[in-house]
Amino acid sequence: MPDRATLASVAARAGVSRQTVSNVLNSPHVVNESTRDRVAAAIAELGYRPLRAAQRLRSQRSRTLALALTPRSASADGVNGSIGDRFLHALTETAQRRGYRIMLFAAAGDAAEIGQYHDLLSTGDVDGFVLANTHHGDARTRWLTEHGTPFVTFGRPWGAPTDPHAWVDVDGASGTEAAVDHLVARGHRRIAFLGWPSGSGVGDDRRTGWRRAVQRHALVPAASVDAWSAAIPDNGRLASRAARELAADGASAVVCASDSLAIGALAAARETTDGLAVVGFDDTPTAAALGLTSIAQPLEAAASCAVDLVLGALEPAEAAAPAPSSEQVLLAPRLMVRGSTTTPITTH
Amino acid sequence: MPDRATLASVAARAGVSRQTVSNVLNSPHVVNESTRDRVAAAIAELGYRPLRAAQRLRSQRSRTLALALTPRSASADGVNGSIGDRFLHALTETAQRRGYRIMLFAAAGDAAEIGQYHDLLSTGDVDGFVLANTHHGDARTRWLTEHGTPFVTFGRPWGAPTDPHAWVDVDGASGTEAAVDHLVARGHRRIAFLGWPSGSGVGDDRRTGWRRAVQRHALVPAASVDAWSAAIPDNGRLASRAARELAADGASAVVCASDSLAIGALAAARETTDGLAVVGFDDTPTAAALGLTSIAQPLEAAASCAVDLVLGALEPAEAAAPAPSSEQVLLAPRLMVRGSTTTPITTH
């Protein structure tokens, strides 16, 4: 590395004034492209780097939000894993429009994630956090709240509904309710639910909406419907078996807690003589590819809302967009109707 | 915000020595967890932040690598989009083990991405770049090479094979060759290829391997096979139609350039009386869910290699792992055999 580069040496190399170099660094949009290119080239050649670091010393702001990626192996559900990634894409784009970057780190479990908070905060690398995958007894939100760190969660504080922190989530129950309404409108009267073992906030929420709609339409008694709620892991083979049993038990349609479960149910549907309508959840690429009716989460809106909420906490005065009127935002999902519920069925 | 926090005020608030605070910041692993927790709490309470910024002024190193996310809408292929995300997960984990973070930014197209390079480099936020989606006439690699910026690409410099930059890629041609070998071993003699319009580096590479193996096994003349190479966009309906025509033309198996195409082909396979074996590419969650034989990319190895290569350029002296012996690494993919090629077929 040559001698330490300075603003002056960069300006000399680029053949511009020091003010122009400063403009490139602080207000790049006032400098024309070719000059910006020349200054950037000089900066790269000379290894001039401490600029944002110096700015940070003044502003104490990194303009960076951090998000943990959980190991893929920890997620049993590759199909639905695409949801987290779509949220990440939307988050990166929204944050960038507001002048923020997304920093990723890897953490398997609450304790590991909190360990990373230490490092990221103590080094001033990030201004705030976006958390996904909230769950019962979430130790991360408690830690961040206690330490006064700005953060927002994508997901409700399951089991701790009075937690005052900022969150945005999608109303899964209203999605499964809409699915039942759609099936009833198409003549179905025995509508089952294929879900996860109870205890997961997301899964229980989705089951709740199905139950609510089944009762509202005065369909089969809730008791017998409850027996149909298969508590199985997201496993295509088990989902197929459960769907086959539900069909044998008289169900003409099944609402599933995920597209993964729905794929298993679709395999069972192909074998039934009377047909079985299937609705998935999350509108994954797989659902689109298979013609599976599914419930879509408004992930772009959720990401935008998450950025608004965390920036509202970070910089209330200079926030570019008005902060949401509430710090707790529940968004409505949307039913994407496809062939798996619109091909003619035999009414029971 | 209170008065500007200092190392001393943090130490006082946490009830530890200044050396301990310094240790938490620079060698957190030598400090026990409860002390680290106390110091981190004091740092958060007092808003003490300029630490890594100060370190950066000394080291001129951000220990951050940047990667562009392209908008989802720009990718026609939602099913295969999961590949980029699996690579991103692996990259984040590998980089973190080497003490680096991944910074995301959004860019649609080469020009926009290069515009972001300006900003990221001029502010010293990143040390190097990881690029995905290399393509013919890639303006990004030329820019980075000309500006002397450390980078690595996941993908070969298509159309410019003598470009000297560091890259890691997966040998798609060897994957489709292995798929043909597998199909031949199962008795197939007329094996078609369902691909993308020629011109994409990745698509042409996958087609090349199929053609090579078809010739090696002295199967049907290449000329008639060429006519089977359907030049269609990734669209299930079109892929189904093409696969139906291939089957009508006597093909008993089809190797596809992507799982998306293969899903379309599977739909056609279900309608044929003689059966049609189908192989996809990328081993997506959808392939696993549908029992589709597919070619898996070693994404964890690719990510690890990418990190080694870019860190080798960044810090040759202090690199923790030995740098790969070459700056151009081609990894072998692996055929994942499932039911779509192992259910009995009629030999033609």
Side-chain angles (χ1 to χ4, degrees):
Chain A
M1 179 98 35
D3 284 351
R4 173 79 162 268
T6 63
L7 197 74
S9 64
V10 169
R13 172 69 65 109
V16 300
S17 69
R18 291 175 54 172
Q19 181 59 48
T20 298
V21 177
S22 173
N23 284 344
V24 168
L25 300 171
N26 298 299
S27 320
H29 299 99
V30 308
V31 184
N32 75 49
E33 168 123 21
S34 75
T35 305
R36 225 161 59 194
D37 210 271
R38 218 157 66 235
V39 170
I43 285 168
E45 281 161 30
L46 299 176
Y48 181 61
R49 293 241 172 150
L51 307 150
R52 180 170 295 203
Q55 290 173 333
R56 284 183 187 170
L57 282 170
R58 289 196 299 274
S59 75
Q60 304 202 340
R61 195 57 72 66
S62 67
R63 299 190 76 85
T64 301
L65 306 173
L67 177 100
L69 289 184
T70 50
R72 273 314 177 94
S73 52
S75 154
D77 190 343
V79 171
N80 284 71
S82 69
I83 294 313
D85 293 317
R86 274 181 53 203
F87 179 74
L88 179 59
H89 277 252
L91 192 72
T92 301
E93 288 170 33
T94 313
Q96 186 161 306
R97 280 196 291 273
R98 304 281 299 269
Y100 279 74
R101 308 279 188 197
I102 301 297
M103 169 90 83
L104 297 180
F105 62 102
D110 285 4
E113 190 164 335
I114 291 169
Q116 294 284 336
Y117 295 162
H118 277 282
D119 285 357
L120 288 160
L121 288 173
S122 63
T123 53
D125 272 344
V126 304
D127 295 331
F129 290 88
V130 179
L131 279 62
N133 305 315
T134 51
H135 49 83
H136 287 287
D138 201 315
R140 305 169 303 164
T141 53
R142 204 167 53 239
W143 193 96
L144 290 168
T145 301
E146 284 169 11
H147 290 76
T149 307
F151 74 98
V152 63
T153 63
F154 177 38
R156 276 161 274 182
W158 302 109
T162 58
D163 259 23
H165 70 71
W167 57 256
V168 56
D169 201 0
V170 175
D171 187 356
S174 82
T176 47
E177 260 194 282
V180 171
D181 291 347
H182 163 69
L183 291 165
V184 167
R186 295 197 61 85
H188 293 274
R189 291 294 174 270
R190 300 204 67 178
I191 301 167
F193 184 80
L194 188 56
W196 298 311
S198 71
S200 89
V202 171
D204 294 348
D205 184 45
R206 295 176 183 180
R207 189 192 310 265
T208 298
W210 159 80
R211 184 177 291 125
R212 208 155 59 196
V214 161
Q215 290 170 345
R216 179 161 45 77
H217 288 289
L219 302 183
V220 289
S224 83
V225 170
D226 263 357
W228 292 350
S229 304
I232 54 166
D234 251 19
N235 177 305
R237 200 172 39 81
L238 285 177
S240 287
R241 191 194 302 163
R244 230 174 278 126
E245 286 167 10
L246 292 166
D249 205 28
S252 67
V254 57
V255 175
C256 302
S258 76
D259 281 352
S260 294
L261 291 172
I263 290 166
L266 275 183
R270 277 191 215 104
E271 302 161 11
T272 60
T273 47
D274 291 338
L276 182 69
V278 178
V279 179
F281 204 116
D282 270 343
D283 192 33
T284 58
T286 310
L290 298 180
L292 172 67
T293 294
S294 187
I295 297 155
Q297 299 200 40
L299 295 172
E300 286 69 26
S304 175
C305 214
V307 170
D308 286 347
L309 287 168
V310 70
L311 294 200
L314 265 171
E315 43 186 43
E318 49 172 302
S325 58
S326 166
E327 292 224 299
Q328 286 82 34
V329 180
L330 197 56
L331 301 169
R334 193 172 147 216
L335 187 70
M336 307 297 285
V337 176
R338 299 197 181 90
S340 70
T341 57
T342 56
T343 49
I345 58 130
T346 306
T347 313
H348 296 252
Chain B
M1 178 99 33
D3 283 351
R4 173 80 163 266
T6 64
L7 197 73
S9 64
V10 170
R13 171 69 63 107
V16 300
S17 70
R18 289 176 53 172
Q19 181 60 48
T20 298
V21 177
S22 173
N23 284 345
V24 168
L25 300 172
N26 298 299
S27 320
H29 299 99
V30 309
V31 184
N32 74 48
E33 168 123 20
S34 74
T35 306
R36 225 161 60 191
D37 210 90
R38 218 155 67 235
V39 171
I43 285 169
E45 281 161 29
L46 298 176
Y48 181 61
R49 293 240 172 150
L51 305 150
R52 179 169 295 202
Q55 291 172 330
R56 285 185 183 168
L57 283 170
R58 288 195 300 273
S59 74
Q60 305 203 338
R61 197 54 74 67
S62 67
R63 298 190 77 84
T64 301
L65 305 173
L67 177 100
L69 290 183
T70 50
R72 273 314 177 95
S73 52
S75 152
D77 189 342
V79 171
N80 285 69
S82 69
I83 293 311
D85 293 317
R86 275 181 55 205
F87 178 74
L88 179 59
H89 277 251
L91 192 73
T92 301
E93 287 168 35
T94 313
Q96 187 160 305
R97 281 195 292 273
R98 303 281 299 268
Y100 279 74
R101 308 278 187 198
I102 300 297
M103 169 92 82
L104 297 180
F105 62 102
D110 286 3
E113 190 164 335
I114 291 170
Q116 296 283 336
Y117 295 161
H118 278 283
D119 285 357
L120 289 159
L121 288 173
S122 64
T123 53
D125 273 344
V126 304
D127 295 331
F129 291 88
V130 179
L131 278 64
N133 306 316
T134 51
H135 49 84
H136 286 287
D138 201 315
R140 305 169 302 165
T141 52
R142 204 168 51 237
W143 194 96
L144 291 167
T145 301
E146 284 170 9
H147 291 75
T149 307
F151 74 98
V152 63
T153 63
F154 177 36
R156 276 161 274 180
W158 301 109
T162 57
D163 260 24
H165 69 71
W167 57 258
V168 56
D169 201 1
V170 175
D171 188 356
S174 82
T176 47
E177 260 195 283
V180 171
D181 291 347
H182 163 68
L183 291 165
V184 167
R186 294 197 62 85
H188 293 273
R189 291 295 173 267
R190 300 205 67 178
I191 301 166
F193 183 81
L194 189 55
W196 297 311
S198 72
S200 90
V202 171
D204 295 348
D205 185 45
R206 294 177 184 179
R207 188 192 311 263
T208 298
W210 159 80
R211 183 176 290 126
R212 210 154 58 196
V214 160
Q215 290 171 345
R216 179 162 45 78
H217 288 290
L219 302 183
V220 288
S224 87
V225 170
D226 263 358
W228 292 349
S229 303
I232 54 165
D234 251 19
N235 176 304
R237 198 170 41 79
L238 286 178
S240 287
R241 191 194 303 164
R244 229 174 279 125
E245 287 167 11
L246 292 166
D249 205 27
S252 68
V254 56
V255 176
C256 302
S258 76
D259 282 353
S260 294
L261 290 172
I263 289 166
L266 274 182
R270 276 192 214 101
E271 301 160 11
T272 61
T273 47
D274 290 338
L276 182 70
V278 179
V279 179
F281 203 113
D282 271 341
D283 193 33
T284 58
T286 309
L290 298 179
L292 171 67
T293 294
S294 188
I295 297 156
Q297 301 200 40
L299 295 172
E300 287 69 25
S304 175
C305 216
V307 170
D308 286 347
L309 286 169
V310 70
L311 295 200
L314 266 171
E315 44 186 42
E318 49 172 302
S325 57
S326 166
E327 291 223 298
Q328 287 81 36
V329 181
L330 196 56
L331 301 168
R334 192 172 148 219
L335 187 70
M336 307 298 284
V337 176
R338 300 197 180 90
S340 70
T341 57
T342 57
T343 50
I345 59 129
T346 307
T347 312
H348 295 256

